[in-house]
Amino acid sequence: MKILVTGGLGFIGSHTVVELQNKGFEVVIIDNLSNSSKRVLDGIFAITGKKPIFEEFDLRDKSKVEDFFSRHRDIEGVIHFAASKAVGESVEKPLLYYENNIGVLTYILQELSKKGNSRFIFSSSCTVYGQADTMPITEDAPVKPAESPYGNTKQVGEEIIRDICKVTPHLAAIALRYFNPIGAHPSVEIGELPIGVPQNLVPYITQTGIGMREQLSVYGDDYPTSDGTCIRDYIHVVDLAKAHVAALQRLVNDENKDNYEVFNLGTGTGSSVLDVIKSFENVSGKKLNYKIVARRAGDVVEAYADTKKANDVLGWSAESTLDDAMKSAWDWEQKVRS
Ligand code: WQD
């Protein structure tokens, strides 16, 4: 079965391509290389021995999207990762985010609506919950007004998919709300390749550990949490990738109860920023240079997943611990910088 993975050379996309190939799916990747590199194809091949079909173009070009689907009529499912994902950048460049994250989504859904039986897996985010009122967060927690255009594109994206599925019975979709993806494939053949100064905590930690960054700034330790720093649910990217295959198989096997479903993807465990630093020091044996600075605007205090629905309905659960994920991130950082 041929599956299209948009953004398949990106961080989560490439790990998902590996898991799809491991389960025997034939993979076609579209990527515009805006936040990835063709070298990732070699990494995927090194792990699975299979080279995905790769087409480089920008999905914002609607005519190219139409041409692609006319040439690949045997595609039976799409996992859609291709999107802009930097919260801060989205505040500066909202139009870029609405064109790339919403416009492109409608082009792909238009193509899928024309086909017969098709499946769509959407890369969503726990950011749709904002600061949820109760922990752990279930899929029924209210979606709150987005704090950034990026977060809004995830909320609006989910609503677009829901509305289209209502009138397109032959299209089945699942939105996966990720918590905080971290780590790298244990083979150290693929991993996160942040461009420029990393915005996210774990790549900043490993770059500080390797000496690329002078010091980690911890954005506030005066939050109402056990140690004053923010709590997140850090999930190993390989566990996250396996969840995408489980979601696709649910649709392929017609096990879905509705043709639009939503699942939280996390470990169910909350970890503070200081816990993550301690995890790095445990797995690396190095002391991390960090200092406490002012809070970062837009950060929520606490977010970790209630994983019951994914466990019971999707038949998936995260297997790796924070230390496992941190070790894989550190191994990858050392390899990339070697
Ligand atoms: C985690 C914690 C920071 C960097 C974002 C997006 C989310 C998803 C994942 C795309 C927070 C603290 C961070 C640093 C720090 N992105 N931190 N110093 O903000 O939870 O989620 O990335 O899908 O949608 O919102 O992740 O890694 O940026 O921050 O203290 O240099 O680490 O304050 O408490 P976040 P993060």
Side-chain angles (χ1 to χ4, degrees):
M1 183 178 280
K2 193 188 261 190
I3 301 296
L4 166 61
V5 179
T6 70
L9 293 187
F11 175 39
I12 304 168
S14 55
H15 288 82
T16 301
V17 167
V18 164
E19 299 309 325
L20 284 167
Q21 291 184 327
N22 288 344
K23 290 288 183 189
F25 288 99
E26 185 190 354
V27 176
V28 184
I29 292 173
I30 297 171
D31 203 302
N32 67 359
L33 302 183
S34 63
N35 191 21
S36 56
S37 120
K38 272 184 87 171
R39 275 186 299 118
V40 175
L41 274 174
D42 301 330
I44 292 168
F45 182 73
I47 298 169
T48 64
K50 299 173 200 157
K51 210 147 179 117
I53 301 164
F54 170 59
E55 294 200 19
E56 178 185 350
F57 66 86
D58 195 316
L59 290 158
R60 286 174 293 186
D61 183 334
K62 189 177 181 190
S63 63
K64 287 194 174 149
V65 175
E66 291 167 344
D67 167 64
F68 174 87
F69 277 91
S70 69
R71 288 184 289 106
H72 292 275
R73 294 188 187 287
D74 53 350
I75 277 178
E76 298 192 56
V78 177
I79 304 185
H80 182 46
F81 292 103
S84 301
K85 59 148 223 161
V87 173
E89 182 188 46
S90 78
V91 175
E92 306 301 319
K93 303 176 186 169
L95 259 183
L96 166 71
Y97 276 69
Y98 289 114
E99 184 189 24
N100 201 28
N101 295 10
I102 301 297
V104 166
L105 173 64
T106 61
Y107 300 161
I108 292 170
L109 290 170
Q110 274 170 0
E111 293 305 316
L112 289 181
S113 304
K114 293 178 203 165
K115 295 167 71 73
N117 204 6
S118 49
R119 297 99 183 170
F120 185 70
I121 307 287
F122 180 62
S123 172
S124 189
S125 169
C126 64
T127 206
V128 303
Y129 300 114
Q131 178 53 72
D133 302 322
T134 51
M135 294 294 136
I137 304 173
T138 67
E139 287 82 357
D140 305 325
V143 170
K144 293 201 174 170
E147 312 227 347
S148 69
Y150 161 76
N152 201 33
T153 66
K154 293 303 179 186
Q155 291 180 5
V156 171
E158 288 190 7
E159 289 163 9
I160 289 170
I161 298 163
R162 186 199 55 206
D163 291 347
I164 288 166
C165 287
K166 270 185 196 144
V167 294
T168 318
H170 60 273
L171 172 60
I174 288 178
L176 298 175
R177 293 174 177 168
Y178 311 156
F179 280 69
N180 286 59
I182 62 168
H185 195 270
S187 66
V188 275
E189 294 291 351
I190 54 174
E192 196 167 4
L193 289 167
I195 294 173
V197 179
Q199 298 306 305
N200 294 130
L201 178 64
V202 168
Y204 203 105
I205 286 179
T206 56
Q207 288 190 10
T208 304
I210 202 95
M212 255 185 89
R213 308 286 163 204
E214 187 51 40
Q215 182 179 55
L216 169 74
S217 295
V218 172
Y219 299 136
D221 68 348
D222 56 351
Y223 286 96
T225 63
S226 53
D227 64 16
T229 62
C230 297
I231 309 277
R232 295 289 184 277
D233 185 334
Y234 296 94
I235 176 170
H236 196 304
V237 65
V238 172
D239 282 330
L240 194 65
K242 289 177 177 172
H244 287 74
V245 180
L248 179 67
Q249 286 174 321
R250 177 175 174 78
L251 299 183
V252 166
N253 302 332
D254 292 325
E255 292 161 355
N256 48 309
K257 298 283 170 291
D258 188 355
N259 72 332
Y260 175 63
E261 296 177 310
V262 177
F263 293 93
N264 284 344
L265 296 183
T267 66
T269 302
S271 300
S272 74
V273 176
L274 295 181
D275 290 334
V276 178
I277 291 171
K278 280 192 200 85
S279 173
F280 171 75
E281 294 183 337
N282 286 344
V283 304
S284 68
K286 295 168 77 91
K287 197 96 188 75
L288 189 79
N289 180 8
Y290 70 90
K291 68 176 183 230
I292 307 294
V293 301
R295 293 181 175 191
R296 179 173 70 175
D299 275 337
V300 297
V301 182
E302 201 172 21
Y304 58 93
D306 180 313
T307 60
K308 191 168 174 1
K309 188 177 177 187
N311 300 158
D312 297 351
V313 178
L314 212 44
W316 165 91
S317 60
E319 293 153 10
S320 297
T321 64
L322 176 61
D323 280 4
D324 296 333
M326 182 60 79
K327 172 139 185 11
S328 68
W330 178 231
D331 290 346
W332 170 250
E333 188 68 67
Q334 294 173 93
K335 167 157 185 211
V336 166
R337 306 296 163 207
S338 60

